């Protein structure tokens, strides 16, 4: 699809994604409102278990069969919630690409790189020849800094950083409008991490792709995101342009999350963490889900916390 600059390419409204389990529904995503513009990077941050990956994979409906989706999720102008598997296949890879945390488990290690690309291309262009497929693979591998000849190798022959480059190339080979990168650098050392983020940002600019960057690491989004959505217990508690999140955070959870970033200042080497733990998503409390850990808690927080609009975003507090 072609978009005008700044046009909205993805919009979630009241999105809920609940896992079916024997104990009941796990409300992993529980009423998310978020939009993504063409060419921008949205950082989705929050502690482990707050629903970030569920949101990312839910966009492509890659979750277990009994998962319940509610609300609206517009990819372009199509609400994907009612779409079946066959229709979702047209969205996956072609409109929305995905980069996972650990390429070793998501790239089949015993399938040659050229075949991985050929299979992906064939999903959307069934008649594509191996020759054309190799040409396109060579072009995208070059873009991510891998010698095209290496397409004859297997993923296990690549280093961690190189494998993540292959994964990025695979997510971009169909030139999707949106790429979801779920903890793309978590398994890499800091130097390679910085190189991969730089590469992702460079590719985003050159293809004008929108990126949803999911991470528990506020340092990662600081480098790349235009706007940030802070998730807590299945909800977005605050979203805003990056600098506002870093320098004028409004929600107590955002403030505490920022304080818990490790720093290298020798005068302040104490590692801050947020006491307590998030509520179970099987049985979430009414009111603000952060209330039990919040140092600024008021009586109203346990009932209906106020929601207010700020700049480019919203705070639910
Ligand atoms: N397949 C599943 N079935 C049931 N619950 C799940 C499943 N996958 C994840 N969850 C639960 O959903 C919540 C959100 O998980 P996840 O989206 O992986 O969080 P994050 O990516 O932020 O760490 C967690 O409580 C997790 O235990
Ligand atoms: Mg995750």
């Amino acid at each position: 699809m072609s978009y005008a600059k700044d046009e909205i390419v993805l919009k979630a409204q009241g999105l809920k994604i609940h896992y079916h389990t024997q104990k009941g529904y796990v409300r992993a995503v529980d009423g998310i409102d978020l939009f993504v513009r063409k060419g921008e990077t949205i950082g989705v941050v929050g502690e482990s278990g707050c629903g970030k990956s569920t949101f990312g994979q839910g966009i492509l409906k890659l979750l277990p069969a009994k998962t319940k989706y509610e609300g609206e999720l517009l990819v372009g102008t199509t609400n994907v919630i009612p779409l079946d598997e066959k229709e979702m296949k047209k969205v996956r890879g072609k409109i929305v690409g995905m980069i996972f945390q650990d390429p070793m488990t998501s790239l089949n290690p015993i399938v040659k790189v050229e075949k991985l690309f050929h299979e992906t291309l064939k999903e959307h262009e069934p008649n594509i020849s191996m020759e054309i497929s190799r040409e396109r693979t060579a072009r995208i591998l070059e873009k991510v800094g891998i010698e095209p000849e290496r397409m004859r190798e297997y993923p296990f022959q690549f280093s961690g950083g190189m494998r993540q480059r292959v994964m990025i190339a695979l997510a971009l080979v169909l030139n999707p409008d949106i790429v979801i990168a779920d903890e793309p650098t978590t398994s890499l050392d800091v130097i390679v991490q910085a190189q991969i983020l730089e590469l992702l940002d460079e590719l985003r600019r050159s293809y004008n792709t929108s990126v949803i960057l999911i991470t528990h690491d506020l340092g990662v989004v600081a480098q790349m995101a235009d706007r940030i959505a802070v998730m807590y217990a299945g909800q977005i508690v605050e979203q805003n342009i990056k600098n506002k999140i870093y320098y004028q955070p409004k929600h107590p959870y955002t403030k505490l999350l920022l304080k818990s970033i490790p720093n290298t200042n020798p005068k302040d080497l104490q590692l801050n963490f947020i006491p307590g733990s998030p509520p179970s998503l099987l049985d979430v409390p009414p009111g603000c889900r952060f209330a039990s850990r919040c140092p600024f808690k008021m009586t109203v927080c346990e009932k209906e916390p106020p929601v207010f609009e700020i700049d480019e975003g919203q705070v639910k507090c």
Side-chain angles (χ1 to χ4, degrees):
M1 229 164 126
S2 60
Y3 289 91
K5 192 174 170 285
D6 285 348
E7 202 171 334
I8 288 172
V9 291
L10 182 133
K11 189 172 183 184
Q13 257 180 324
L15 178 68
K16 294 186 179 179
I17 306 174
H18 295 178
Y19 292 106
H20 175 85
T21 71
Q22 289 193 330
K23 289 185 184 156
Y25 280 103
V26 174
R27 293 158 66 174
V29 166
D30 212 21
I32 278 188
D33 297 324
L34 182 79
F35 67 87
V36 182
R37 292 194 192 95
K38 181 72 183 153
E40 76 173 341
T41 299
I42 300 290
V44 176
V45 298
E47 282 169 294
S48 171
C50 68
K52 304 182 298 294
S53 295
T54 304
F55 173 57
Q57 291 176 33
I59 293 171
L60 288 173
K61 294 174 75 186
L62 289 169
L63 301 168
K66 284 188 176 169
T67 305
K68 196 164 74 176
Y69 296 85
E70 279 174 27
E72 206 172 59
L73 181 57
L74 296 174
V75 174
T77 51
T78 309
N79 181 14
V80 298
I81 300 293
L83 300 190
D84 61 19
E85 261 302 290
K86 194 170 157 221
E87 290 168 313
M88 277 316 292
K89 279 195 174 154
K90 294 183 201 153
V91 177
R92 292 179 196 143
K94 182 81 185 153
I95 305 175
V96 184
M98 185 96 189
I99 301 166
F100 292 96
Q101 173 174 350
D102 183 2
M104 202 55 195
T105 49
S106 41
L107 295 177
N108 187 338
I110 52 161
V111 174
K112 276 189 186 169
V113 167
E114 61 178 10
K115 193 154 179 245
L116 285 170
F117 280 84
H118 189 52
E119 281 170 2
T120 301
L121 289 163
K122 252 188 0 195
E123 283 276 336
H124 298 275
E125 297 164 43
N127 300 322
I128 191 168
S129 68
M130 191 65 193
E131 200 188 337
I132 301 284
S133 169
R134 281 198 186 109
E135 272 172 31
R136 287 179 55 187
T137 305
R139 241 182 293 151
I140 192 80
L141 285 180
E142 268 189 325
K143 278 258 184 198
V144 299
I146 293 180
E147 291 144 24
E149 305 80 63
R150 295 200 67 186
M151 76 172 89
R152 301 217 157 74
E153 294 179 23
Y154 295 92
F156 73 79
Q157 292 173 285
F158 290 76
S159 67
M162 282 296 174
R163 266 202 301 270
Q164 198 53 301
R165 284 172 191 261
V166 173
M167 188 83 212
I168 291 171
L170 199 57
L172 287 172
V173 69
L174 290 157
N175 197 10
D177 296 319
I178 306 158
V179 168
I180 301 167
D182 190 354
E183 307 271 7
T185 58
T186 303
S187 58
L188 306 171
D189 68 62
V190 280
I191 307 278
V192 180
Q193 192 168 354
Q195 288 167 351
I196 295 289
L197 288 174
E198 217 160 275
L199 170 70
L200 197 56
D201 205 31
E202 200 180 290
L203 294 167
R204 172 188 67 84
R205 260 180 273 128
S206 94
Y207 291 100
N208 200 22
T209 316
S210 308
V211 176
I212 299 178
L213 180 61
I214 295 173
T215 174
H216 67 280
D217 184 347
L218 274 161
V220 164
V221 281
Q223 190 172 340
M224 218 183 129
D226 297 298
R227 286 188 296 127
I228 295 178
V230 181
M231 272 191 87
Y232 185 76
Q235 299 183 324
I236 293 175
V237 291
E238 176 165 6
Q239 51 178 305
N240 210 335
I241 43 181
K242 177 175 69 186
N243 285 347
K244 295 272 182 180
I245 291 282
Y246 278 94
Y247 300 114
Q248 290 163 35
K250 297 277 190 268
H251 197 286
Y253 178 65
T254 314
K255 291 179 186 170
L256 291 173
L257 203 60
L258 285 164
K259 275 203 180 141
S260 64
I261 301 178
N263 76 55
T264 49
N265 179 353
K267 286 188 187 144
D268 181 19
L269 281 177
Q270 190 187 345
L271 193 59
N272 296 305
F273 63 94
I274 309 173
S277 52
S280 158
L281 295 175
L282 261 173
D283 185 19
V284 281
C288 173
R289 293 176 182 191
F290 188 57
S292 68
R293 301 168 80 185
C294 183
F296 310 102
K297 189 179 82 175
M298 295 179 290
T299 324
V300 63
C301 303
E302 282 169 0
K303 293 184 195 129
E304 192 56 49
V307 174
F308 49 97
E309 306 294 323
I310 42 163
D311 311 299
E312 280 240 9
Q314 195 184 59
V315 184
K316 278 189 186 176
C317 177

